[in-house]
Amino acid sequence: MNKQVWILSLCQALLTTGNIVLISVTALIGQSLAPMPSLVTLPVAIQFIGMMCATIPASLIMARIGRKRGFTLGNMIGISGAACCIYALWLANFYLFSVGTFLLGIGIGFGTLYRFAAMELCDAKYHSRAISISMAGGVLAAILGPFLAVQSREWLSSDLSFIGPFIGVLLLYVLSLCLLQVVALPVERHQTATKKGRRLTELLTQSNYLLAVASGAVAYSVMILLMTVTPLAMMGCGYSFEQSTQVIQWHVLGMFVPSFFTGHLIDRIGAKNTILLGAVFMLMCCIVNLTGTTLIQFNIALILLGVGWNFMFIAATRFLTMTYQPEDKPKAQACNEFVVFSSVTIASLLAGWLNTTIGWYQLNLVTIPFMLVIIAALFIFKPQLKPSLQHK
């Protein structure tokens, strides 16, 4: 992999670090500021609404102005969102805080395309590994994110303790913005998006395209649902903020450490089999959660959830790129990102309500059928595309 892919990986790591900080503190901020219990996870959901709203415009904007300018725009919106959150927390204004998380979501929406940009920096035979490496920066995020979430709360007085993490998020976005200026992204590839590609309706009639999109959507939405509610479930079981943060840290390590070999795994066993393996890991996560609420069970379950997400999401991304031609890239990627993050948004909106109404045990039961549907679809839809049959 050339150094440009690794720089993009670092940008992805900074974005993911910010996400971990947000996940670690946003639900707790909602718990202290929300006017009613059912709105506790609203800021998290609003963040994903922002992400969802950005997915289609981000892909189409980058097709016109290039990846580099698009990522720069996304980072600037993220910076404004972090500043808005800081001001909202200073005022203790729940709804203004939600506006800030919306802007952060838009910035994250642009950043979700880092993995596609990484592919464009290397030869076709390295595409699986490029996606993996672009995601591998999350290992740094897994270490830095929880540390920053805990330590930054001590930067200011106890009454303003949650402002510190958002100062940290703002600094991460500024650093990422600086790094982007030295990445030599191939502008010409984005500016040559043709107008002769297939219609979106034609893409949506392909079973393999639909399977790739559905796999990514299920992987991400189930992961977000369980990860978002876990700190609340742990608090309900009497665990401390530091303990829940450590569980999230192990989870994020599970999400990103496999990235160092997921690309090789996809090349070896194929994208569909890797998705299948990830779905099995996520099922195991639910089973562990259903057996008890000890600290070690929370840790094991969240590690399984992270590894399962890694296999499913990276393999789904790779599989997606095998289902369309280069001229279809902007609309194919835009549709995928919209569907994936619309699902994530719905999961986030439902998280607080499900946790309040049906509880932790039933919530895990609700997620199981979604993985079973994906597993069934993997056996039904054939033939499997091989890594050797790359999209051109």
Side-chain angles (χ1 to χ4, degrees), residues 126-391:
Y126 296 117
H127 281 179
S128 297
R129 299 178 202 177
I131 296 170
S132 288
I133 288 175
S134 72
M135 304 292 287
V139 175
L140 174 62
I143 299 170
L144 183 58
F147 175 81
L148 183 61
V150 173
Q151 296 301 317
S152 59
R153 290 188 63 184
E154 300 178 3
W155 292 352
L156 300 173
S157 64
S158 58
D159 292 340
L160 303 173
S161 63
F162 282 116
I163 291 180
F166 285 89
I167 294 174
V169 170
L170 188 148
L171 295 175
L172 291 170
Y173 272 98
V174 170
L175 180 55
S176 179
L177 183 63
C178 294
L179 282 173
L180 278 171
Q181 308 318 305
V182 301
V183 179
L185 285 166
V187 178
E188 70 280 1
R189 295 191 185 183
H190 305 290
Q191 294 178 337
T192 57
T194 92
K195 299 180 181 179
K196 299 180 181 179
R198 288 173 293 172
R199 294 179 180 179
L200 183 59
T201 51
E202 293 180 70
L203 285 171
L204 293 176
T205 59
Q206 291 182 234
S207 59
N208 281 310
Y209 179 78
L210 291 175
L211 178 57
V213 173
S215 297
V218 168
Y220 222 129
S221 56
V222 169
M223 186 274 290
I224 285 295
L225 178 64
L226 295 178
M227 181 174 65
T228 302
V229 175
T230 292
L232 299 176
M234 292 186 67
M235 183 173 291
C237 294
Y239 296 107
S240 66
F241 172 74
E242 287 74 16
Q243 287 174 313
S244 65
T245 301
Q246 288 173 359
V247 168
I248 295 296
Q249 184 175 32
W250 281 109
H251 166 67
V252 178
L253 284 170
M255 288 174 65
F256 295 109
V257 168
S259 296
F260 291 107
F261 60 81
T262 303
H264 294 279
L265 182 66
I266 294 170
D267 289 338
R268 186 172 183 84
I269 69 173
K272 278 190 173 181
N273 288 332
T274 307
I275 294 172
L276 176 61
L277 184 61
V280 170
F281 271 85
M282 295 186 83
L283 277 174
M284 291 168 62
C285 160
C286 294
I287 292 170
V288 172
N289 278 334
L290 292 170
T291 60
T293 56
T294 65
L295 185 59
I296 191 169
Q297 284 171 310
F298 277 117
N299 274 300
I300 292 172
L302 268 287
I303 291 171
L304 289 169
L305 182 67
V307 174
W309 172 85
N310 181 281
F311 288 168
M312 284 190 76
F313 190 66
I314 292 178
T317 299
R318 182 67 189 101
F319 189 57
L320 181 84
T321 64
M322 301 177 189
T323 65
Y324 60 80
Q325 298 300 319
E327 59 268 23
D328 301 318
K329 179 176 68 176
K331 66 183 70 172
Q333 293 180 3
C335 179
N336 176 74
E337 300 299 278
F338 179 76
V339 172
V340 168
F341 292 106
S342 295
S343 303
V344 169
T345 301
I346 293 170
S348 301
L349 284 168
L350 292 175
W353 178 76
L354 287 172
N355 186 59
T356 302
T357 56
I358 66 174
W360 174 245
Y361 185 88
Q362 296 293 336
L363 188 147
N364 279 274
L365 286 177
V366 166
T367 64
I368 291 176
F370 293 95
M371 267 86 73
L372 293 178
V373 168
I374 293 298
I375 291 171
L378 288 167
F379 286 102
I380 293 170
F381 292 124
K382 296 180 180 181
Q384 176 172 342
L385 297 175
K386 298 294 183 182
S388 58
L389 302 176
Q390 318 280 5
H391 86 275

Side-chain angles (χ1 to χ4, degrees), residues 17-34 40-44 47 85-86 89 94 97 101 104 145-154 160-169 227-228 231-232 235 241-242 244-245 248:
T17 301
N19 290 352
I20 295 168
V21 174
L22 293 175
I23 290 165
S24 298
V25 302
T26 301
L28 298 177
I29 291 171
Q31 200 166 46
S32 63
L33 294 182
V40 165
T41 59
L42 179 64
V44 178
Q47 174 187 320
C85 286
I86 291 169
L89 290 170
F94 176 77
F97 176 70
T101 62
L104 283 167
F147 175 81
L148 183 61
V150 173
Q151 296 301 317
S152 59
R153 290 188 63 184
E154 300 178 3
L160 303 173
S161 63
F162 282 116
I163 291 180
F166 285 89
I167 294 174
V169 170
M227 181 174 65
T228 302
L232 299 176
M235 183 173 291
F241 172 74
E242 287 74 16
S244 65
T245 301
I248 295 296

Side-chain angles (χ1 to χ4, degrees), residues 26-94:
T26 301
L28 298 177
I29 291 171
Q31 200 166 46
S32 63
L33 294 182
M36 60 185 70
S38 60
L39 295 180
V40 165
T41 59
L42 179 64
V44 178
I46 292 292
Q47 174 187 320
F48 286 107
I49 290 174
M51 190 186 307
M52 177 188 69
C53 291
T55 50
I56 291 178
S59 186
L60 299 180
I61 286 170
M62 290 185 191
R64 281 186 168 272
I65 68 174
R67 296 287 195 200
K68 188 169 185 175
R69 290 178 180 176
F71 288 136
T72 297
L73 175 62
N75 270 268
M76 292 175 67
I77 294 172
I79 290 169
S80 67
C84 183
C85 286
I86 291 169
Y87 184 57
L89 290 170
W90 181 272
L91 299 177
N93 188 313
F94 176 77

